[in-house]
Every structure is written in C-alpha cells, then in structure tokens.
Amino acid sequence: MFELLHFDFVQNALLASVLISIACGVVGTLVVVNRMVFISGGIAHASYGGIGLAVYLGIPPLAGASVFALFVSVLIGILTFRNRHRVDTVIGALWAAGMSFGIILLDISSGYHADLMSYLFGSILTIPRSDLWGMLFLDISVLLFTAVFYRQILALSFDPEFATVRGVKVALLQFLMLGLTALTVVLTMRLVGLILVIALLTIPVSVCEELANSLGKVMAYSFLGSMFTIISGLLVSYIYNLTSGASIILVASSLYFIFATTRLLRRRIRSSRPLPLPEA
C-alpha cells in the first residue's frame, strides 16, 4: 500500500485532504454553530449554475463555480438579513434556479463534458496541483479571518443581540462568513461532490462539538476529525474499489451514528441509576 505514495495523484489527494480539512474544520464549525447548514446547501447546489456558465464561456469550471457561489451567497445575505422568516423560501428558489441554469447551459454547450461528473460526485484522485494552491489560499484566508474576528464571531455565534449591543458589525461579519462558506463549498466539491459536500462540512463538527468546551477547540477537533474521515474514506475506497467521495461520507456518517448511539446509551444508563437515599 505504501508504494502508492510514489504516485503524484496520490500525493495530491493526501495534500488536498489536509488542506481542505483545515477549511472544513473552521468553516464547518461556523456553519453548524450559526445554524447555516441549509444556507450552505443552497450555495452548494446553486453553484452548479457557475459550472454550467464556465463551460458555456470556455473558462475553468472551478473559477466559474467560485464566482457564482460568491454571488449567490451575497444574494442570500441581502434577501434574508432583514427577513429571517423568508430564508427557507429564498434558499429553495436560488437552489433550484442555480441548478436549472447550470443544466440548461450545459445542454446548449458544445462538446462532451465527462469530467463534470466529478463536481457532482467528487474525484479527489484527479485533483491537479493548481487546485491545491487554491485550497492553500482558502486556508490562509479562513485562518486570518478567524484570528482577527474571533471575539466577534464568538459573540455572534452564541448571542447575536448581545453582539449587536457590543458594537459588532453583524451584517458585515455574516457576509464574510457566507463568502468563506461559498469558497469552501466549491473547493470541497472536488473531494466529495456537490451532492455530499454539506455532509463533510457538518458531520465532523456535530461529533466534535460534544467533546470540546470552547469554539476554538471545536474548530481544532473538527479539523482532525475531517482529516481522519477523508483519509479513512480514501483507504476504504482503495481497499474495496469504491467511489472515493461516497466512501468518505460513509465513514463520516458511520462515526456520527456510532457516537450518537454511544451518547444515547450513556444517558439512559445515567438516568436508570437509582438516586442516593438521604442520610438519616
């Protein structure tokens, strides 16, 4: 198995696993804590419109998806910031419109585009070196954002009203988080695909947030959990000759259900213990 490390595509896959785990650990924590999972799903599926537009215009699909995802994230922020009760409707409409737009553009584009399936189902073993530079840039941006605005993020995540009273620029912070989420979603698509990208962002965080007592520790544990999940999924896909993206998410889902079951059993055991009798 170790002889595989001599191949460039395997080295790229392992580097991508580490780099994207950093972004998933930090941004995934922000997504879960700030209840932005559905928003992230809307951005992910709507970004398929950017892939179709990129193919139609003859530009790199990743660039088109990134720009389109940023546009959609800003649009979601504008339409929902003052109208929280409409967020589900807005995201659902953009979700459907983005995917439909992308499919139609692909239909009218000339040529055969087999490689686009990697954006739907993931293809970590075909990631080029150029995408690794994009992931590195994203990691630097995410870490700088978190370091500079950590206290504001902490206040916003747990008490938005308190953050507003303390003078935190809530709107600006939310737009920045949406932008980073959009870029993370686009780059993560190359690993597990558009359909499963939200699972990789949220499942490791859902497990790790029970093990940490601070936002920073949740981010750190989620990074380690994401990296373990991706590498384990790659091993499973290699051993059993399975699709890498689906294998990664299957490993993540299995860990989540094992952890959730263990936690439920512990709670039942604790609740079934008899209370101590008071001393006479």
Side-chain angles (χ1 to χ4, degrees):
M1 184 179 296
F2 290 101
E3 63 271 11
L4 291 174
L5 298 176
H6 296 291
F7 294 103
D8 289 340
F9 70 92
V10 176
Q11 296 174 8
N12 289 348
L14 292 176
L15 285 173
S17 302
V18 176
L19 291 174
I20 207 62
S21 293
I22 297 174
C24 284
V26 177
V27 176
T29 300
L30 298 179
V31 165
V32 172
V33 172
N34 288 277
R35 299 175 180 85
M36 294 166 51
V37 176
F38 191 49
I39 293 177
S40 303
I43 293 173
H45 288 78
S47 64
Y48 196 70
I51 296 174
L53 183 62
V55 172
Y56 182 77
L57 297 176
I59 62 177
L62 197 61
S66 299
V67 174
F68 202 84
L70 286 172
F71 168 74
V72 171
S73 67
V74 171
L75 191 58
I76 289 175
I78 293 174
L79 294 176
T80 62
F81 182 68
R82 297 294 182 185
N83 299 285
R84 294 291 182 182
H85 62 283
R86 296 177 53 194
V87 63
D88 292 347
T89 304
V90 171
I91 294 172
L94 290 174
W95 180 321
M99 289 209 71
S100 301
F101 181 65
I103 293 171
I104 290 174
L105 286 177
L106 289 174
D107 286 340
I108 63 177
S109 300
S110 59
Y112 178 64
H113 311 289
D115 61 321
L116 294 180
M117 294 298 291
S118 65
Y119 290 93
L120 284 175
F121 301 103
S123 183
I124 189 173
L125 296 178
T126 62
I127 290 180
R129 286 279 178 176
S130 57
D131 285 8
L132 297 180
W133 287 109
M135 293 176 185
L136 179 61
F137 175 77
L138 174 64
D139 288 341
I140 294 173
S141 302
V142 167
L143 293 175
L144 283 176
F145 169 76
T146 306
V148 173
F149 297 104
Y150 182 77
R151 291 185 180 275
Q152 292 91 327
I153 293 172
L154 194 62
L156 174 63
S157 298
F158 295 101
D159 195 340
E161 294 181 359
F162 172 76
T164 303
V165 172
R166 295 286 295 178
V168 176
K169 296 180 179 179
V170 173
L172 175 62
L173 207 58
Q174 288 183 334
F175 276 110
L176 290 174
M177 285 195 295
L178 284 173
L180 289 176
T181 301
L183 294 177
T184 303
V185 161
V186 169
L187 289 174
T188 308
M189 281 195 300
R190 295 304 304 269
L191 274 73
V192 296
L194 180 151
I195 298 174
L196 301 174
V197 62
I198 300 305
L200 187 60
L201 271 178
T202 57
I203 290 177
V205 179
S206 300
V207 173
C208 295
E209 68 177 346
E210 298 288 340
L211 306 176
N213 55 7
S214 70
L215 187 66
K217 288 183 179 180
V218 173
M219 292 178 178
Y221 292 169
S222 298
F223 155 64
L224 296 175
S226 298
M227 187 168 60
F228 173 80
T229 297
I230 296 172
I231 294 176
S232 299
L234 284 176
L235 289 175
V236 170
S237 68
Y238 168 73
I239 294 172
Y240 296 102
N241 193 26
L242 302 173
T243 304
S244 59
S247 300
I248 291 170
I249 300 305
L250 184 61
V251 170
S253 302
S254 300
L255 291 175
Y256 175 77
F257 285 118
I258 291 172
F259 181 83
T261 302
T262 304
R263 181 177 56 186
L264 180 62
L265 290 175
R266 285 179 178 176
R267 288 179 178 176
R268 289 192 174 183
I269 292 173
R270 289 176 182 175
S271 62
S272 63
R273 290 177 180 175
L275 295 175
L277 297 174
E279 296 182 2

